[in-house]
Amino acid sequence: MWRTLALASAFFPGLFILCIRLLRWAAPGWSLKDRILLSGRLVSTVQATMATVSGITVVLSCKNVVHDRHWLAVEYIWVLVPYMTYDIYVMYLCHWHKSQEKGILEKKHSLASVWSFLLQERLMVTHHLFILIVLTPITQHFRGELGDFFVGCIFTAELSTPFVSLGKILMQLNMQDTLLHKVNGILVLVTFFLCRILLFPFMYAAYARQVGIPLYLVPFRIPLHCNIANASLIAPQLYWFRLICRKAARLYGSSPAHRSR
């Protein structure tokens, strides 16, 4: 636990700083804001890939979805904890630099700039804090030695993140009218729907199949905190999926000239 926490606490900020420095060499004309934005998205992609691979490994290893164990279901949580903490700060840095570009002159790390960040990114910050404060104790303590399969399923929700990050990177590079951006948009829709929406019915169906009960009885057979955690996780996903669908409708339903406005 402590070794994993220490390594992850050094790895993600270190990778972020390394990306910024490499971009300063590779793209000297870029502003610090642009380097920070791209570096944050690259690190996010790395973490998402790690989480997805860990999740798939756990899911494929657990034949009994209730009782089978896999060490990654426990250990990777201690990777997520420092990552989520790091990511909140990087989101704040991105917010502050964007505000400076818009002419909002707030001192970095001032109460006003932090409050502005929390208001604008309240849903994402709440999502991260929920994982840190609520899901971490549930996955590491309250569930006991049960449900590694379902923890692995939650890890696989990160499959859509690399495509989301690539879409933002392409827009940052003014490549939003390319075929790559359109194909990536389809992949965002598909992976987000499969791994962040359908994931939850899949987990309930897997439990129903394992214990031999109808699907509709599962919410009444599993612990209440599992239902609450799942509901709390899927709620923002439904909201974000709605935003993605609206963006996709604009992307595929309008002309390039209209999208560039």
Side-chain angles (χ1 to χ4, degrees), residues 170-171 174-182 251 254-260:
L170 291 174
M171 292 183 68
N174 294 319
M175 297 175 63
Q176 59 267 36
D177 294 324
T178 63
L179 177 61
L180 176 59
H181 188 253
K182 292 181 179 180
L251 176 64
S254 59
S255 65
H258 179 75
R259 291 194 300 270
S260 64

Side-chain angles (χ1 to χ4, degrees), residues 77-93:
I77 295 294
W78 301 123
V79 176
L80 281 177
V81 168
Y83 171 76
M84 290 295 171
T85 306
Y86 144 88
D87 198 45
I88 290 174
Y89 182 67
V90 170
M91 286 192 296
Y92 167 76
L93 283 181

Side-chain angles (χ1 to χ4, degrees), residues 6-256:
L7 288 173
S9 297
F11 175 72
F12 293 115
L15 181 60
F16 176 69
I17 293 170
L18 177 62
C19 288
I20 290 176
R21 292 185 175 180
L22 289 175
L23 285 171
R24 184 171 58 186
W25 169 78
W30 280 24
S31 65
L32 178 58
K33 183 209 77 172
D34 288 330
R35 296 200 301 270
I36 287 176
L37 287 172
L38 182 53
S39 298
R41 288 159 184 165
L42 291 174
V43 175
S44 177
T45 298
V46 170
Q47 188 285 136
T49 303
M50 292 167 58
T52 301
V53 172
S54 298
I56 292 173
T57 302
V58 173
V59 168
L60 294 179
S61 299
C62 296
K63 306 305 179 185
N64 185 308
V65 304
V66 178
H67 298 288
D68 281 359
R69 305 300 313 277
H70 195 284
W71 64 273
L72 275 172
V74 174
E75 203 66 21
Y76 196 77
I77 295 294
W78 301 123
V79 176
L80 281 177
V81 168
Y83 171 76
M84 290 295 171
T85 306
Y86 144 88
D87 198 45
I88 290 174
Y89 182 67
V90 170
M91 286 192 296
Y92 167 76
L93 283 181
C94 294
H95 169 81
W96 185 81
H97 280 280
K98 288 178 181 178
S99 298
Q100 293 292 298
E101 193 175 69
K102 293 176 182 177
I104 304 174
L105 302 178
E106 295 174 337
K107 188 177 180 181
K108 186 186 288 187
H109 303 137
S110 67
L111 183 60
S113 67
V114 172
W115 181 246
S116 172
F117 161 69
L118 292 176
L119 286 178
Q120 183 169 328
E121 301 291 344
R122 55 188 177 276
L123 183 57
M124 187 64 78
V125 172
T126 301
H127 171 266
H128 281 37
L129 291 177
F130 180 80
I131 291 174
L132 289 170
I133 298 171
V134 178
L135 285 191
T136 298
I138 289 176
T139 56
Q140 299 298 69
H141 300 289
F142 296 135
R143 71 184 179 93
E145 297 185 352
L146 303 175
D148 281 14
F149 172 87
F150 302 107
V151 176
C153 287
I154 297 299
F155 290 165
T156 64
E158 287 292 307
L159 178 62
S160 63
T161 300
F163 302 108
V164 173
S165 295
L166 177 59
K168 293 179 179 179
I169 290 171
L170 291 174
M171 292 183 68
Q172 186 177 348
L173 298 175
N174 294 319
M175 297 175 63
Q176 59 267 36
D177 294 324
T178 63
L179 177 61
L180 176 59
H181 188 253
K182 292 181 179 180
V183 172
N184 184 72
I186 295 173
L187 291 174
V188 169
L189 277 171
V190 172
T191 55
F192 200 100
F193 182 69
L194 290 177
C195 297
R196 292 185 180 243
I197 307 298
L198 285 187
L199 174 69
F200 293 92
F202 168 77
M203 290 193 294
Y204 279 69
Y207 181 86
R209 185 171 58 251
Q210 181 68 56
V211 301
I213 62 174
L215 178 60
Y216 68 87
L217 288 179
V218 173
F220 306 101
R221 289 285 298 272
I222 63 177
L224 177 62
H225 64 261
C226 293
N227 287 316
I228 294 174
N230 286 332
S232 301
L233 282 174
I234 197 173
Q237 311 305 329
L238 291 170
Y239 172 75
W240 286 322
F241 185 67
R242 175 174 170 267
L243 295 182
I244 291 172
C245 289
R246 290 174 59 184
K247 186 174 182 180
R250 293 196 301 269
L251 176 64
Y252 301 110
S254 59
S255 65

